[in-house]
């Protein structure tokens, strides 16, 4: 009796296991198909200097232009490929496309920097640096110094020694780093000292609260001071209103990204946006000069 019960259990387990494998396979197939059908695209969100109005660069953000479901965010793609070879394929596709886009903008006289988000398991592949080097070589017109790799702060904390070595090897190729979602990863002074990222990006959850939440304000102030002490650039993420912009400038954080400046947009919209942005900034500068 007990034995047959056990066999039954095993049987049930196997069916579920098969189902799980099947689903994982189907999910990956969906992403692979979308990738090869050209349904995956990169949107670009500008990062600006709030004081000068200058465009510092743009962050490439993955989108799925789904034939039935419309425009889908990265949360509909990234979890389906987590820790698979396809994640690496996708990550390399993003790098190649971002570089190709930088070349297009260069031809239009815009030497903008572009930031690419790198998933931690991709970054941890033993051949990451060599592959990055190969990809950079396919685009010799674009200086590697214009490419910034964004690594989640939380992922960077996992294996500090290895992380540091990997980052230095990439930096030897000319690329730079930003620690993304900074403040969410239990950072401390010593961590930042050991990670050679040129930039830290303050997580939007803190930035959003600076106008009404005293704790968020304290945190953002502390991160800005930390960045200054270690000679890193600091970018505020998730800046949604003019009031946020004013407060950030007051706190000494000049670099910002967020819906209040621009939403992520298709590559083709960036040049027209940049022209409008420059005109708006110039008009505001004239108004301010007149007021003084
Ligand atoms: P992230 O790198 O921290 O990117 C910022 C996210 O905040 C983006 O969401 C952006 O659209 C959103 N955002 C920007 N400004 C505002 C704002 O003012 N308010 C609000 N509420 N949100 C704002 P998105 O595009 O959905 O991306 C989510 C995350 O997915 C990214 O967070 C990044 O971790 C990841 N991701 C996106 N593209 C890629 C990619 O190509 N590769 C990898 N590995 N990860 C990616
Ligand atoms: Mg990012
Ligand atoms: Mg972020
Ligand atoms: Mg994020």
């Amino acid at each position: 009796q007990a034995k047959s019960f056990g066999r039954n259990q095993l049987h049930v387990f196997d069916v579920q296991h098969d189902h799980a494998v099947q689903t994982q396979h189907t999910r990956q197939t969906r992403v692979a198909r979308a990738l090869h059908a050209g349904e995956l695209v990169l949107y670009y969100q500008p990062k600006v200097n709030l004081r000068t109005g200058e465009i510092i660069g743009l962050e490439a953000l993955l989108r799925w232009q789904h034939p039935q479901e419309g425009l889908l965010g990265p949360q509909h793609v990234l979890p389906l490929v987590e820790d698979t070879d396809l994640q690496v394929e996708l990550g390399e596709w993003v790098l190649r496309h971002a570089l190709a886009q930088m070349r297009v903008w260069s031809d239009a006289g815009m030497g903008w920097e572009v930031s690419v988000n790198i998933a931690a398991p991709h970054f941890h592949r033993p051949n990451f640096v060599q592959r990055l080097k190969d990809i950079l070589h396919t685009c010799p017109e674009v200086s590697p110094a214009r490419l910034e790799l964004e690594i989640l702060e939380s992922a960077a904390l996992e294996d500090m020694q290895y992380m540091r070595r990997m980052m230095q090897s990439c930096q030897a190729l000319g690329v730079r780093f930003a620690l993304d979602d900074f403040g969410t990863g239990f950072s401390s002074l010593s961590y930042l000292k050991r990670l050679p990222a040129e930039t830290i990006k303050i997580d939007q959850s803190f930035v959003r609260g600076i106008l009404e939440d005293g704790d968020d304000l304290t945190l953002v102030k502390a991160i800005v001071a930390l960045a200054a002490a270690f000679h890193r650039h600091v970018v505020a993420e998730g800046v949604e209103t003019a009031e946020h912009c004013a407060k950030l400038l007051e706190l000494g954080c000049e670099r910002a990204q967020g819906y209040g400046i621009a939403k992520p947009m298709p590559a083709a919209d960036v040049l027209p946006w940049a022209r409008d942005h420059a005109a708006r900034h110039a008009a505001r500068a004239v108004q301010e000069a007149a007021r003084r």
Side-chain angles (χ1 to χ4, degrees):
Q1 187 68 34
K3 205 173 169 190
S4 77
F5 180 67
R7 229 182 358 247
N8 251 334
Q9 284 287 76
L10 192 67
H11 180 68
V12 169
F13 172 77
D14 272 349
V15 168
Q16 281 173 344
H17 180 70
D18 279 357
H19 185 69
V21 170
Q22 185 82 43
T23 318
Q24 174 61 19
H25 183 75
T26 320
R27 292 161 131 201
Q28 279 188 55
T29 311
R30 286 178 62 208
V31 176
R33 199 198 50 74
L35 185 62
H36 297 124
E39 290 168 16
L40 298 187
V41 293
L42 294 178
Y43 270 41
Y44 291 89
Q45 186 179 35
K47 267 180 294 182
V48 304
N49 181 311
L50 294 170
R51 193 171 48 78
T52 64
E54 177 202 2
I55 299 169
I56 299 157
L58 303 111
E59 178 171 8
L61 294 160
L62 187 67
R63 297 289 182 268
W64 183 355
Q65 190 63 65
H66 195 283
Q68 279 87 43
E69 289 168 53
L71 191 67
L72 304 177
Q75 73 277 15
H76 295 273
V77 182
L78 301 174
L80 308 190
V81 299
E82 186 72 36
D83 269 319
T84 66
D85 288 344
L86 191 55
Q87 183 178 45
V88 175
E89 197 187 322
L90 181 61
E92 293 188 350
W93 177 90
V94 174
L95 282 167
R96 282 197 309 275
H97 276 252
L99 285 169
Q101 188 56 55
M102 283 153 102
R103 186 166 50 196
V104 171
W105 284 328
S106 290
D107 291 344
M110 302 298 179
W112 291 321
E113 297 168 8
V114 169
S115 312
V116 168
N117 294 283
I118 305 290
H122 180 197
F123 191 64
H124 284 110
R125 291 283 171 126
N127 63 352
F128 181 86
V129 180
Q130 184 57 48
R131 297 288 302 167
L132 177 64
K133 193 174 172 185
D134 294 344
I135 292 169
L136 288 166
H137 279 165
T138 64
C139 217
E141 305 88 340
V142 174
S143 161
R146 285 173 52 201
L147 178 66
E148 179 177 73
L149 304 182
E150 295 196 2
I151 306 277
L152 287 177
E153 184 215 12
S154 51
L157 301 184
E158 271 168 27
D159 185 346
M160 190 74 73
Q161 282 292 65
Y162 180 75
M163 216 51 205
R164 183 182 158 82
R165 264 205 323 277
M166 286 286 290
M167 288 169 79
Q168 285 168 340
S169 306
C170 295
Q171 285 168 328
L173 302 177
V175 306
R176 289 159 311 105
F177 280 91
L179 294 179
D180 207 350
D181 297 2
F182 194 86
T184 61
F186 306 103
S187 352
S188 80
L189 288 163
S190 66
Y191 287 149
L192 192 58
K193 179 181 148 200
R194 287 166 66 193
L195 289 173
E198 287 84 353
T199 298
I200 61 182
K201 297 186 79 176
I202 311 175
D203 191 66
Q204 42 184 290
S205 59
F206 309 122
V207 174
R208 199 161 301 134
I210 55 173
L211 299 176
E212 67 279 349
D213 185 323
D215 291 340
D216 285 347
L217 181 62
T218 303
L219 252 160
V220 169
K221 274 186 185 167
I223 295 175
V224 171
L226 191 62
F230 284 98
H231 308 290
R232 313 299 170 90
H233 294 298
V234 62
V235 176
E237 294 194 279
V239 177
E240 295 191 346
T241 68
E243 288 73 31
H244 284 97
C245 292
K247 188 73 187 176
L248 286 164
L249 273 176
E250 189 190 309
L251 299 176
C253 178
E254 295 189 347
R255 298 177 174 218
Q257 177 181 355
Y259 293 173
I261 299 154
K263 288 199 168 174
M265 61 187 97
D269 292 356
V270 173
L271 279 169
W273 176 84
R275 273 193 290 272
D276 284 355
H277 171 78
R280 275 194 307 273
H281 193 82
R284 207 170 55 225
V286 169
Q287 275 171 11
E288 274 168 22
R291 219 177 295 137
R292 272 189 230 112

